[in-house]
Amino acid sequence: MLKQLSSLRKSSSLLKKSFGISYSSFHNNIIKCHQQQQHQYSDLAGFYREQFHQQNQLTHYNFESLLNKIDEMKLNIKLRELEHMVNLEEVLSKYQQYTNLCEQLENLQYLRREIAEYLAGKIPVEKLPKELYVEITEKNGGKDLVEFNEEDKNMILDRKSNYWKQKGKEIKLKIQELEKEYQIIKPILIELSLKLPNFTANHVMDFSLQNSNQPKLIKNIGEKVNFKENQKIYSHYEICERLNLFEPANECSGPKFFFLKGDGVLLELALQNYVISKLIKKGYQLIMPPELMKKHIIEGCGFQPRGEHSQIYRIENYQDTSNNNEKEVMNKKKEGLMTFERKGEDSQQLCLIGTSEIGLAALHAGQILFDLSENGIQNKPIRYVGLSHCFRTEAGAGGAKDRGLYRVHQFTKVEMFVYSSPEHSEEVLKEIVSIQEEIFSELGFHCQILDMPCNDLGNPAQRKIDIEAYIPSRGGYGEVSSASNCLDYQSRRLNIKYKVDTVKYKSFFPHTLNGTAVAIPRAIITLLENNQFIDENTGKLCVKIPVALHPFMLNGKTVLME
């Protein structure tokens, strides 16, 4: 207790800077909170320890949960098929080394401070930790200080004696040695633990085990289109060619790039505006994020910008053009922005985003949110809808079924992204899926909604629900949307926190959730193929525009005709 209070007294200026309050007002508020039992600690020392030893805590991953669920994580890694990428035993071993070092350093720094306090006359010798003169105690047969022989007693009582100078020097050298070890182990532990996946929802683990990692059907929506007997069914690629909606960009950009043309562009804009207008009415705030993000932000969201199978494009010739003043401001903010450091590489390198989710997660990186609670009730999610182009390398992807717009390097996407308190994140996931269901129902798509198994989850997701639409040319279903609950996986890595009220001096990591409102190319594919027909009068190929899109077609067309 005295140790923590001593540290607290010396940290008054830090309190003023961090919380905008003085030591006395902080102390009075904590006493009041303690008396009202409004915090989880059994004593004030525990609270002070939490506040003033944050610098040694690795918060980018929930190690507390990991240590309590080691067997569950082992099974999780196996079911996600990540055993070749994640070495859990090595992570746990390094974490043990790290925590041991932190404890040793914390104790030595405490002893060093106590010596300084004693030599400055701020505390009496009786308050000194006995371990500071344990060898003298043993020399005197384990007796108390008052029973030491006169020479040893005077040596301890004399604040100017060489004993204290030597003791301070010894502790300083030990601290320096341990800090060198600390600087080696910490980045290794971070590098290893960044590959750890999120925990998986229990029911997903269960059905993944029972069904050999096969998706679980939740429900079907809509009906399959009944084409006329003997009607030729064209693929979206053929429809685009005949209606002049699309042209490959192989010569100028390479495979899997395309030009949208004429009515194809207007169809894309109609889909965007239809979905955005619906989400704005539902309380989502529209954001258009930058399409270039720094590599450490990409990693903070749980994506891997490096490696053979990375889906991320990197800007290799990126140069930092910030002026000196901008760099100084960035350096001051850097410590609070991320909960992990990336050393030995250019974390400022820019990457093209693969989804608006990255920009919407980065929007509040390093911030404390105050909007997740209202009148003390933690039920006020922050909802965003993002519009952006997305860029993916699609490494290893290909095949006849992927011809045309199905799997491309650049496309437009409208994304839902929500910050929620932990208590309500599952409700928010249901809300996102219900909006997706509403959108695809109004577009007339026949879809199946699937709870995805462990091996289909990205590292950030605790649970992922996919919506697959029926696409005639594929003879089955293709993914058109997904929704994920990432719990606090991303908020920890991006150091995003929220406060539940203005009394407690403690913040929490919010849950983040994302869901595709519409990925334009997949929506166009499904729309074209399921709404095609042959005009009886002209014999020409036509496509009906869903009624929901009519107000958003800028040329007023309700039917596209070759």
Side-chain angles (χ1 to χ4, degrees):
M1 179 71 172
L2 287 171
K3 168 184 171 182
Q4 303 300 340
L5 289 173
S6 173
S7 174
L8 183 61
R9 280 191 290 266
K10 296 180 67 176
S11 304
S12 181
S13 60
L14 176 62
L15 277 169
K16 185 73 174 174
K17 180 180 178 182
S18 301
F19 299 109
I21 58 175
S22 66
Y23 163 75
S24 59
S25 62
F26 174 78
H27 183 266
N28 291 337
N29 279 332
I30 298 308
I31 291 290
K32 184 178 179 181
C33 288
H34 177 64
Q35 290 171 341
Q36 297 176 348
Q37 297 182 338
Q38 289 184 335
H39 56 76
Q40 65 187 41
Y41 304 101
S42 59
D43 54 43
L44 289 176
F47 183 84
Y48 297 144
R49 185 181 185 87
E50 175 74 15
Q51 291 296 320
F52 293 102
H53 296 282
Q54 290 288 335
Q55 69 272 20
N56 288 331
Q57 294 182 0
L58 290 176
T59 57
H60 71 277
Y61 193 84
N62 192 339
F63 284 100
E64 182 179 352
S65 289
L66 178 61
L67 294 175
N68 291 329
K69 302 178 182 178
I70 293 174
D71 290 339
E72 182 179 329
M73 179 54 74
K74 287 179 180 178
L75 179 59
N76 184 32
I77 291 170
K78 181 179 180 180
L79 289 173
R80 288 187 183 230
E81 300 175 359
L82 296 174
E83 293 170 297
H84 64 293
M85 294 179 60
V86 180
N87 188 335
L88 182 59
E89 296 299 329
E90 189 174 3
V91 172
L92 294 171
S93 174
K94 292 298 180 186
Y95 184 71
Q96 184 63 53
Q97 293 180 46
Y98 176 82
T99 54
N100 288 342
L101 273 175
C102 287
E103 288 175 4
Q104 293 177 60
L105 277 168
E106 181 180 333
N107 186 55
L108 288 171
Q109 288 165 352
Y110 160 64
L111 294 176
R112 191 180 182 189
R113 285 195 301 269
E114 292 300 288
I115 290 176
E117 295 275 300
Y118 174 61
L119 297 182
K122 294 181 179 179
I123 60 173
V125 69
E126 293 82 6
K127 298 297 183 181
L128 279 176
K130 291 184 179 180
E131 59 187 294
L132 284 172
Y133 51 89
V134 64
E135 66 274 22
I136 309 299
T137 302
E138 291 174 355
K139 178 182 173 183
N140 285 270
K143 298 177 181 178
D144 290 335
L145 177 62
V146 293
E147 299 178 297
F148 283 7
N149 64 58
E150 286 301 313
E151 181 182 352
D152 290 338
K153 186 190 300 183
N154 291 334
M155 180 176 62
I156 299 298
L157 294 174
D158 184 4
R159 290 184 168 89
K160 295 182 180 181
S161 71
N162 288 331
Y163 176 83
W164 290 116
K165 293 179 182 179
Q166 185 62 31
K167 180 60 67 174
K169 186 177 180 181
E170 288 175 8
I171 292 175
K172 181 181 178 181
L173 290 174
K174 286 181 182 178
I175 289 174
Q176 290 173 346
E177 291 174 6
L178 290 177
E179 283 178 340
K180 289 179 182 178
E181 292 184 47
Y182 177 92
Q183 294 302 325
I184 293 172
I185 287 179
K186 183 178 179 181
I188 294 174
L189 173 59
I190 289 173
E191 187 70 30
L192 291 169
S193 58
L194 283 177
K195 297 176 182 178
L196 288 171
N198 203 342
F199 283 91
T200 302
N202 291 334
H203 80 278
V204 175
M205 296 270 283
D206 291 341
F207 78 70
S208 297
L209 275 170
Q210 295 167 7
N211 300 328
S212 301
N213 261 334
Q214 294 301 308
K216 180 180 179 181
L217 178 65
I218 297 175
K219 65 186 293 189
N220 291 306
I221 58 172
E223 301 292 335
K224 285 185 183 179
V225 176
N226 291 319
F227 292 104
K228 291 184 178 180
E229 189 176 352
N230 299 322
Q231 178 181 338
K232 177 177 173 56
I233 307 302
Y234 293 95
S235 71
H236 79 279
Y237 190 88
E238 294 169 313
I239 296 171
C240 284
E241 284 187 324
R242 293 185 62 168
L243 272 63
N244 197 28
L245 306 177
F246 158 94
E247 188 172 317
N250 294 347
E251 295 299 322
C252 59
S253 301
K256 301 179 185 175
F257 287 97
F258 62 92
F259 293 96
L260 273 185
K261 301 165 63 178
D263 289 338
V265 178
L266 296 178
L267 187 57
E268 164 155 341
L269 293 175
L271 283 163
Q272 289 179 31
N273 290 329
Y274 156 67
V275 171
I276 289 172
S277 65
K278 177 180 288 291
L279 289 168
I280 289 174
K281 290 174 185 175
K282 291 182 181 292
Y284 284 71
Q285 181 183 348
L286 181 60
I287 301 287
M288 185 176 284
E291 292 171 0
L292 287 168
M293 288 281 168
K294 293 178 180 179
K295 187 160 63 175
H296 67 266
I297 294 292
I298 305 284
E299 289 180 314
C301 293
F303 299 93
Q304 297 295 328
R306 302 164 296 165
E308 181 182 352
H309 300 292
S310 172
Q311 295 288 336
I312 303 295
Y313 282 107
R314 289 172 290 166
I315 308 300
E316 296 293 347
N317 66 341
Y318 164 72
Q319 293 182 352
D320 189 353
T321 57
S322 307
N323 60 41
N324 290 333
N325 290 335
E326 289 172 333
K327 288 179 180 178
E328 185 178 351
V329 171
M330 287 172 64
N331 288 335
K332 287 180 180 178
K333 291 183 176 180
K334 182 179 178 183
E335 184 177 350
L337 180 60
M338 304 297 292
T339 56
F340 60 89
E341 298 174 16
R342 306 290 290 169
K343 295 185 178 180
E345 64 174 331
D346 184 9
S347 65
Q348 302 298 304
Q349 182 184 35
L350 291 176
C351 302
L352 288 167
I353 61 173
T355 169
S356 299
E357 170 192 345
I358 296 171
L360 299 176
L363 183 61
H364 294 300
Q367 295 181 13
I368 294 179
L369 308 175
F370 291 90
D371 297 333
L372 291 182
S373 61
E374 188 172 34
N375 298 324
I377 301 173
Q378 300 173 50
N379 188 17
K380 191 185 176 186
I382 301 173
R383 298 174 174 88
Y384 293 119
V385 50
L387 171 66
S388 74
H389 292 109
C390 303
F391 304 86
R392 298 181 185 179
T393 64
E394 295 294 353
K401 287 189 175 182
D402 295 331
R403 186 185 185 201
L405 298 176
Y406 191 81
R407 199 177 298 279
V408 291
H409 292 309
Q410 176 186 331
F411 60 95
T412 307
K413 187 175 171 187
V414 180
E415 182 87 6
M416 292 176 279
F417 193 90
V418 181
Y419 295 89
S420 168
S421 60
E423 294 82 359
H424 298 281
S425 65
E426 195 59 32
E427 294 175 21
V428 172
L429 181 63
K430 292 177 182 177
E431 172 196 301
I432 291 173
V433 175
S434 69
I435 292 172
Q436 293 171 327
E437 182 179 340
E438 182 181 328
I439 289 169
F440 296 125
S441 294
E442 290 181 2
L443 291 175
F445 295 176
H446 167 57
C447 302
Q448 57 183 15
I449 302 178
L450 304 170
D451 214 340
M452 301 308 291
C454 292
N455 65 344
D456 202 82
L457 303 183
N459 271 14
Q462 178 245 15
R463 184 188 182 193
K464 182 164 79 85
I465 295 175
D466 279 3
I467 298 182
E468 296 184 348
Y470 183 75
I471 301 174
S473 67
R474 297 178 70 84
Y477 297 86
E479 181 190 337
V480 292
S481 184
S482 67
S484 299
N485 188 348
C486 298
L487 304 185
D488 61 3
Y489 188 91
Q490 293 175 326
S491 61
R492 282 180 171 275
R493 294 158 71 111
L494 293 170
N495 199 22
I496 303 168
K497 297 181 180 180
Y498 75 97
K499 289 185 177 293
V500 297
D501 54 47
T502 57
V503 177
K504 301 175 190 176
Y505 294 93
K506 183 172 178 63
S507 53
F508 304 88
F509 293 105
H511 286 188
T512 59
L513 302 97
N514 63 82
T516 305
V518 62
I520 299 298
R522 300 278 177 97
I524 288 178
I525 290 170
T526 308
L527 188 156
L528 294 178
E529 293 198 15
N530 284 286
N531 289 277
Q532 60 181 294
F533 69 97
I534 301 297
D535 182 72
E536 294 179 354
N537 296 322
T538 63
K540 292 183 178 181
L541 178 64
C542 304
V543 174
K544 290 183 294 184
I545 303 297
V547 174
L549 298 184
H550 288 182
F552 303 97
M553 287 295 292
L554 296 180
N555 58 7
K557 288 185 179 181
T558 59
V559 175
L560 305 182
M561 182 179 293
E562 66 177 321

